[in-house]
Amino acid sequence: MNTKKLAILVGVLVVVLGVVLVAVLTQKPASKTNTPVTTQTLPTINTPEEKEGVVDPITHTTPTTPTTKETPPPVAVSPLAVMPGSPEAPKQEVVAVNEIPAAAIKLSISDKGFSPKEFTVSAGQSVQLAITAVGENTHVFIFPNASLMALTSMVSNSETKVMTFKAPAAGSYPFRDDIPDFRNNTGTMIVK
């Protein structure tokens, strides 16, 4: 491996680790998405002494009317906000160009940019994305949005990788080449 390729590889790894670190530091604590909201009722006041306002010797407070306290609803964590290559991340498979699934969105990346620069999918749709590196350089496909960091993919020269994922909520999601020399190469995934 020549020095230039090694320097690019090290640079890519540093950038990916930086993105992961930022995502981890800014991510809210995960909670189970199927956890039902529950309520908790405080104990009722039963004895005449409690009703009269006798101070509780443990809490040093006067008993009050019972109240209901609700637990806030759980925060949904995007399944695409996981580390690339982790068991929860979409699998990436290297395929020959003639083996790209017919339904896949084909995206090529070169030193000059992406082709096409934009593609559209439907929210919640299962998406197959085939990324082909054209030319002799390695490229890193990345969404700078931390909620989509699992879709980061390093594609070597003349290589094609296919990944399948569920499209996120409606919106416009920019992507770019994360190799320092090619960061101006950008595109957009539009989710309707």
Side-chain angles (χ1 to χ4, degrees):
M1 181 178 283
N2 66 32
T3 307
K4 183 177 179 182
K5 286 185 180 181
L6 183 59
I8 289 174
L9 182 58
V10 169
V12 168
L13 291 174
V14 168
V15 169
V16 170
L17 288 174
V19 169
V20 169
L21 181 61
V22 167
V24 168
L25 293 175
T26 59
Q27 189 173 17
K28 294 181 181 176
S31 63
K32 295 182 182 178
T33 56
N34 293 332
T35 305
V37 175
T38 59
T39 58
Q40 178 183 10
T41 306
L42 297 175
T44 57
I45 301 171
N46 298 322
T47 65
E49 294 82 22
E50 291 173 320
K51 290 180 185 175
E52 300 264 330
V54 175
V55 175
D56 183 330
I58 296 173
T59 62
H60 302 291
T61 59
T62 303
T64 59
T65 308
T67 60
T68 302
K69 182 179 180 181
E70 288 191 20
T71 306
V75 176
V77 175
S78 168
L80 299 176
V82 296
M83 290 277 294
S86 69
E88 301 84 18
K91 302 299 176 243
Q92 298 183 22
E93 180 181 0
V94 176
V95 299
V97 174
N98 62 348
E99 295 176 351
I100 296 173
I105 295 169
K106 295 166 187 74
L107 187 66
S108 65
I109 182 172
S110 71
D111 297 356
K112 295 180 182 177
F114 291 95
S115 179
K117 288 185 173 277
E118 182 178 288
F119 62 91
T120 303
V121 296
S122 299
Q125 166 190 355
S126 180
V127 177
Q128 279 188 313
L129 183 61
I131 306 166
T132 302
V134 178
E136 296 186 22
N137 287 313
T138 296
H139 296 277
V140 175
F141 173 84
I142 188 170
F143 286 93
N145 184 326
S147 70
L148 299 176
M149 70 188 246
L151 301 178
T152 300
S153 182
M154 181 186 296
V155 188
S156 298
N157 58 330
S158 302
E159 179 179 65
T160 298
K161 283 191 179 175
V162 175
M163 62 180 140
T164 304
F165 60 94
K166 186 178 278 189
S172 180
Y173 298 88
F175 54 84
R176 71 169 190 238
D177 187 342
D178 209 40
I179 297 292
D181 289 346
F182 307 121
R183 285 200 179 133
N184 290 331
N185 297 338
T186 61
T188 306
M189 175 176 70
I190 298 171
V191 183
K192 293 186 175 184

